[in-house]
Amino acid sequence: MIFSSDNWAGATDAVMAALARHTSGFAPAYGVDPLSRSIEAKFNEVFEREVAVFLVSTGTAANSLALANYAKPGGVVFCHKEAHIVVDECGAPEFTTGGNKLFGLPGDAGKFTPQALETALKGYPEGVVHHGQPSAVSITQATEVGTLYTPDEIAAISTVAKSRDLPLHMDGARFANALVSLDISPAEMTWKQGVDVLSFGATKNGCWCAEAVVFFNPQDGAGFEFLRKRSAQLFSKSRFISAQFEGYFENDSWLESARHANAMALRLAEGLSAAPGVDLPVTPQANEVFPVIPRAKAAVLQDAGAKFYEWPTDDLPADRMMIRLVTSFATTPAMVDDFVSRF
Amino acid sequence: MIFSSDNWAGATDAVMAALARHTSGFAPAYGVDPLSRSIEAKFNEVFEREVAVFLVSTGTAANSLALANYAKPGGVVFCHKEAHIVVDECGAPEFTTGGNKLFGLPGDAGKFTPQALETALKGYPEGVVHHGQPSAVSITQATEVGTLYTPDEIAAISTVAKSRDLPLHMDGARFANALVSLDISPAEMTWKQGVDVLSFGATKNGCWCAEAVVFFNPQDGAGFEFLRKRSAQLFSKSRFISAQFEGYFENDSWLESARHANAMALRLAEGLSAAPGVDLPVTPQANEVFPVIPRAKAAVLQDAGAKFYEWPTDDLPADRMMIRLVTSFATTPAMVDDFVSRF
Amino acid sequence: MIFSSDNWAGATDAVMAALARHTSGFAPAYGVDPLSRSIEAKFNEVFEREVAVFLVSTGTAANSLALANYAKPGGVVFCHKEAHIVVDECGAPEFTTGGNKLFGLPGDAGKFTPQALETALKGYPEGVVHHGQPSAVSITQATEVGTLYTPDEIAAISTVAKSRDLPLHMDGARFANALVSLDISPAEMTWKQGVDVLSFGATKNGCWCAEAVVFFNPQDGAGFEFLRKRSAQLFSKSRFISAQFEGYFENDSWLESARHANAMALRLAEGLSAAPGVDLPVTPQANEVFPVIPRAKAAVLQDAGAKFYEWPTDDLPADRMMIRLVTSFATTPAMVDDFVSRF
Amino acid sequence: MIFSSDNWAGATDAVMAALARHTSGFAPAYGVDPLSRSIEAKFNEVFEREVAVFLVSTGTAANSLALANYAKPGGVVFCHKEAHIVVDECGAPEFTTGGNKLFGLPGDAGKFTPQALETALKGYPEGVVHHGQPSAVSITQATEVGTLYTPDEIAAISTVAKSRDLPLHMDGARFANALVSLDISPAEMTWKQGVDVLSFGATKNGCWCAEAVVFFNPQDGAGFEFLRKRSAQLFSKSRFISAQFEGYFENDSWLESARHANAMALRLAEGLSAAPGVDLPVTPQANEVFPVIPRAKAAVLQDAGAKFYEWPTDDLPADRMMIRLVTSFATTPAMVDDFVSRF
């Protein structure tokens, strides 16, 4: 009953098999091996256009470097106030951008609106040096609370960003979960709605450590290789990341993993919504479920070996708590059913 | 005939087997899994004392973060002028330390002397704010040109460093190669000679991407976990690095790999020293050989598929060049003999 | 009718006279001249204890460097959400601290409560590397909206800060205005309530460019001279800042300037409170007045040559606006009466 | 007998008179006052073209910010190994550029040659991410040892810089001294030879604290105002710097000050060259003289109240030392003659 996070799982068989396949033999170091080149081509195919893609090893690296690519002196990045880049990356974006500020926008269910962005941008009129200058807008898909921006919502945010010549960044740590849930193409969820740069996450969905920074306007990434190297994210044996992507994309195993994880979340949600004493204030759209349960029940579950985290939230009675349940490719129906049966 | 670098090899079987072993199942994320704890204990055993150890994924990360741990405003790090941190890390140490300067010391065969360090430090008297302030001393073992500091030489450098209260850092990207060549213990090559912090490299010697920052005075690393996270080097599925170390240390496979690489370098050196038209100005002590060969011969070798890099050097006739040949666990005697036979 | 800001004034006669007095002759450069030493001694006297004091030239420099002195990797500074360091310094604190985050606390009338701080700190439990780590607490005295923390309020905030071993910083850009309004001693407004470091502002109150970073625990500033030099704030002809302070402190001219400015603000407030169509939602306590006036009236005043800025605020009818009026040593009663008479 | 540095002098009467003139009255803050605008226009006139000029307060600020304007990830600035930016700014350029490296070129008499630059640049081939990327070239005029680049030498260095699309920066801390010595126009010493950005120093030549960053291609400075503010170098009462420049340029007082200082250096050199036991290895071209004198004589001079610094140099007998003598607008013939007479 492991629901702590999707990163408590290991790697999928497809990913490990690919890695094993490339273990022996020699290959040029530092990202110019044939396998890495083929993975770059694969990204073009996945996104139905020529992209500039740079492999890195953690989501924090992908996000920080993507934002650093557009950093300005006194720069300000606009994102949701609960975004991972604000709350969970120990200031890596601020450090990597040379001190750009993250402006946390309010918004229900982990999402901010184009209106909220527009209002915040008004506080940063052109050329007022005291306030600094907007440098980027960032959305998270799926969000920290497992919700999704629709393509139209993304496009509307992009329109506001573009009105100030700002790039739109998408933190796609759970990109695949969002994609299969919306049932649209990678292109439709990104550049067709005006996303400029994507942190394409693969780790949570079955890789060991494989993330990619994808620039939809390849020239945007012209100097990125220096940024990546300077942040110690250019790997000598780079094929070990490329191999993970090979396995990830092979036979659409990434979509299959995400579909499974989402299905497990749905199974959880359905089970819990019928359980006594449980509320589900946020409808799960990807692989996370946020039930409100009796605090006493949480202790019982943990004693039984269930793993999950409390999700701090306001305005609950002292005897109730919101918890976060995350599913992954490795979650089994039995695990879900066992958990639900204990309510 | 691949001699370009030891990082053109993949991973050893021991490393891949360990990784495969830990592929499935769940484990706590972010470095608190049981396997990571056991690897930390293993480091204590290897170094015969309690150390504080932090796993990271690239040598550049290990070096940059180790130096950042001791960074000061206006700080100056003293190292050899050809050190990897100066020449090959795209300014990552400068960036990660908030702009500390690397002072490149002269010295033959990739090594600097205690006297050279002492002279340089005189340029930075205590409390002269203009010049900045010394923050660390860094040596590379084995050096960039495959030579070694003896234990006594390390101790003498440490003595000078300590006279100014400076930590001594060792860049051990090729730690194992140096160790088996000197035939001493890890403790004897490090803290027993006054090394304070080590970049323990495992990637070049058979891992995919496994490096460790080792503090011999554990309290030195008290705030390091924040530095590591801020530089995006805390891995969610941290066991994938730990597993590499498990395989690396298992049955002393790391020492075996290094002994093999060194033996191949020796075989190369012996073969080349008997070859016509070849000089060996630097005696190889680890897994690198730097012969001076006819430029025309280099072209012939490359046409035959040999891979190696020219090593820029002064004062050679136009028709001769120095090349760098690096061996690894994956280098075969046949590969060496084939190469030598072409002279 | 210049009420735009107290920094639209020039320098007081006392300050210019002192500067003129030290124009000729030679003096050691870089802060070790006798005049600078005597100013440092004067600060001890003003604060009734031995302090470590470092002269700089702008308030942004003082604030940024004070916070940088306590910066940590992934550090978080807690302050009011409308604090100058958050809103008006173009990311200088973030840059100078190597990317520390400013956490903006809510609170009425430009002040935050100990409770608000305590709640925010709970989001940063010890040792949770993802969120980063608290590095400092900062209050502004007088605040951005001309209000004051009482000594008890400062002490209460300090108690919360100390419960997490955090230094308490005071941005004293308008220190003198606050001081004379509270009618207490500098010691009582600072270290006696647990303030650890102060940005002592003198520019707004009659200097050209003279600010000081004051450490009440002198050892806290042990490495500060390197921070200051690295930020280009060590002046070669340092006596020109010291001379300003000489004039500033002479015959308590600084207190006199502040009393005058505050009196002018009071005169404005009294006049406006009797004026038709004017509201004064915030009671002025220092040298700033924030009336809400008819938007049409603002235009009329500006046409007549009055200078002031709109102060953006929510929830006002479209035909009304809040404006900020700032007084200084150079504000005359005639100027105030002229302004008031136009309502 | 004060020859320690030109920054031991105070301000010229012209500068103080102008400052006094602008003491009272109100003016818009933060650089948009009419006086500041007129000073900007004056710079256009001085340089015979439209320039973008930004006033700052220290030479270290001017240099650091000028280089930061062109910084790149992994950037490398090429300059003389004894340049002020390398030796005397406590890492401010490295910090302000986000960790760019300063590459110290060798060269006699404080100057490097185009050939030395060309050779160094070869170590940084295009697109080799490991080494980083060249970001700027910097020369000092007059140099640290009081010598000058001829216009042709500047042009030749610029040609090499431009071959790699690098901006040429001139550290003009002693710009006026160089200018009057070469007897050419400001334009001829800068942009007509391919200088792109200048740190125009006025402090050493008679201001309190007045420096300017001058971009000869105004568009180069498009984002500079944010850089300046972020480094706390935008002054609220900006007119106090502008006023210094007003006095500085008035009646060509700046040229007169520099001519006087240079004449005093010449008088020193002439006197010393005739003195027993004195060598003058470097011919003074501006306001600095570097005699080699008996060590015993130095002590005698210091006992008599003479102020100067030893200039560390190699290869002198133990009983002899090189000293640096700096003259300024405030140096008197009597002071010079007194000094010389003691040999």
Side-chain angles (χ1 to χ4, degrees), chain A residues 141-316:
Chain A
Q141 181 83 327
T143 72
E144 295 303 307
V145 293
T147 55
L148 300 179
Y149 288 94
T150 66
D152 283 354
E153 288 172 338
I154 298 171
I157 287 172
S158 177
T159 298
V160 177
K162 293 295 173 298
S163 73
R164 290 293 292 274
D165 286 325
L166 296 175
L168 178 58
H169 167 252
M170 177 182 280
D171 175 357
R174 294 191 176 94
F175 185 87
N177 302 98
L179 193 73
V180 300
S181 179
L182 289 175
D183 197 20
I184 57 179
S185 73
E188 285 165 343
M189 200 166 83
T190 55
W191 61 270
K192 288 191 174 175
Q193 314 310 331
V195 173
D196 297 290
V197 59
L198 168 68
S199 296
F200 181 91
T203 304
K204 289 183 194 292
N205 192 38
C207 289
W208 276 125
C209 67
E211 309 278 318
V213 179
V214 182
F215 292 99
F216 296 111
N217 312 297
Q219 71 278 14
D220 279 12
F224 192 82
E225 60 180 341
F226 288 93
L227 274 176
R228 179 176 61 173
K229 174 69 183 171
R230 189 183 67 170
S231 279
Q233 283 287 330
L234 177 60
F235 285 78
S236 55
K237 297 182 177 177
S238 42
R239 67 175 131 156
F240 92 93
I241 299 189
S242 301
Q244 294 177 64
F245 275 114
E246 188 182 67
Y248 191 67
F249 287 132
E250 213 167 28
N251 301 320
D252 285 345
S253 81
W254 65 303
L255 302 177
E256 190 188 332
S257 288
R259 279 190 200 104
H260 176 79
N262 289 6
M264 290 301 101
L266 198 61
R267 189 182 187 107
L268 258 178
E270 287 172 352
L272 290 170
S273 64
V278 177
D279 291 324
L280 271 177
V282 181
T283 307
Q285 295 179 276
N287 65 323
E288 297 185 284
V289 185
F290 291 81
V292 175
I293 65 173
R295 199 167 279 276
K297 176 61 74 178
V300 170
L301 289 162
Q302 283 166 331
D303 286 348
K307 299 287 187 192
F308 53 82
Y309 290 113
E310 179 169 2
W311 194 255
T313 187
D314 297 336
D315 302 326
L316 281 182

Side-chain angles (χ1 to χ4, degrees), chain A residues 53-130:
Chain A
V53 60
F54 297 89
L55 308 187
V56 298
S57 65
T58 66
T60 295
N63 287 335
S64 298
L65 287 167
L67 297 174
N69 191 68
Y70 298 99
K72 298 176 185 168
V76 183
V77 176
F78 297 84
C79 58
H80 192 273
K81 70 186 164 69
E82 292 166 9
H84 202 265
I85 55 175
V86 174
V87 175
D88 283 307
E89 300 190 345
C90 194
E94 287 92 339
F95 177 70
T96 311
T97 57
N100 280 206
K101 199 190 294 280
L102 303 187
F103 187 109
L105 296 162
D108 291 338
K111 296 161 61 178
F112 65 84
T113 64
Q115 291 72 32
L117 175 60
E118 205 158 15
T119 301
L121 282 168
K122 277 186 192 143
Y124 294 84
E126 291 285 348
V128 177
V129 75
H130 308 283

Side-chain angles (χ1 to χ4, degrees), chain C residues 18-25 239, chain D residues 9-13 16 208 329:
Chain C
L19 202 49
R21 201 154 61 222
H22 292 283
T23 297
S24 60
R239 66 175 132 157
Chain D
T12 62
D13 292 342
M16 267 310 292
W208 276 125
F329 72 90

Side-chain angles (χ1 to χ4, degrees), chain C residues 58-70:
Chain C
T58 67
T60 296
N63 288 335
S64 298
L65 287 168
L67 297 174
N69 192 68
Y70 299 99

